[in-house]
Amino acid sequence: MDELSAIETAEEPAAVLNQIEKALLILYGGDLSVKKSIKDAIKDAKKGPEMLMRFKEKETAKGKAVIYLRLLNNAHYLPLLCVTNADGEEILRKNLPETTDLGTIGEIRLSSKKVTVMPRKNAFTNNARPISFEINL
């Protein structure tokens, strides 16, 4: 199958990513560390909605909360909240509501008993509510 035909099939994402990888390696792949970064990024991108992109992070002396973004095929985001204790053990892993607008994800507040994701403050998120989960750091 030629490259143009592959773009019109279910193999489209992988075919496009392969072409992007080739172009990036030609343009920037002279340095071994850059070459590795390009290959790692393409490998992650091929995971599709399972690829995690770090979006926000809050770290305290007792733990860390990180929000990762996953981009779905419908162009929506499915944020994932992960909380770890001071020893690096994951103590909470929750999907946040699917969204097309990242305005619903503002400041992260982390205490020893609760993690809260505050919406950004603007005219478009006036009705958005904070999302909280109980935890035990």
Side-chain angles (χ1 to χ4, degrees):
M1 175 182 306
D2 70 348
E3 293 168 358
L4 187 56
S5 297
I7 290 175
E8 298 173 354
T9 69
E11 299 296 318
E12 174 185 343
V16 171
L17 287 170
N18 287 338
Q19 292 303 313
I20 291 170
E21 180 179 17
K22 285 179 186 176
L24 290 173
L25 289 172
I26 289 169
L27 293 171
Y28 306 105
D31 182 284
L32 287 179
S33 65
V34 174
K35 186 175 185 175
K36 182 183 181 326
S37 294
I38 291 169
K39 288 185 174 287
D40 289 346
I42 296 296
K43 181 181 172 186
D44 283 344
K46 287 181 179 179
K47 293 178 183 176
E50 297 306 313
M51 181 176 113
L52 298 178
M53 298 172 282
R54 185 184 310 255
F55 180 62
K56 289 199 178 256
E57 182 175 309
K58 174 70 174 198
E59 191 166 357
T60 67
K62 294 187 177 186
K64 179 167 54 170
V66 180
I67 296 176
Y68 295 98
L69 295 180
R70 294 171 288 182
L71 184 59
L72 303 175
N73 290 335
N74 63 3
H76 291 194
Y77 294 103
L78 183 59
L80 175 66
L81 173 64
C82 296
V83 180
T84 56
N85 62 21
D87 297 327
E89 299 167 338
E90 188 173 87
I91 57 172
L92 179 76
R93 185 179 189 92
K94 293 282 187 179
N95 287 319
L96 299 179
E98 187 176 314
T99 184
T100 58
D101 176 21
L102 298 177
T104 58
I105 305 171
E107 177 188 357
I108 302 171
R109 296 182 182 169
L110 180 62
S111 72
S112 60
K113 298 181 191 276
K114 179 168 69 168
V115 61
T116 303
V117 178
M118 304 297 293
R120 290 185 181 171
K121 293 182 182 180
N122 62 45
F124 300 109
T125 60
N126 280 342
N127 296 326
R129 300 265 184 232
I131 300 170
S132 294
F133 299 99
E134 299 295 322
I135 57 171
N136 287 316
L137 285 178

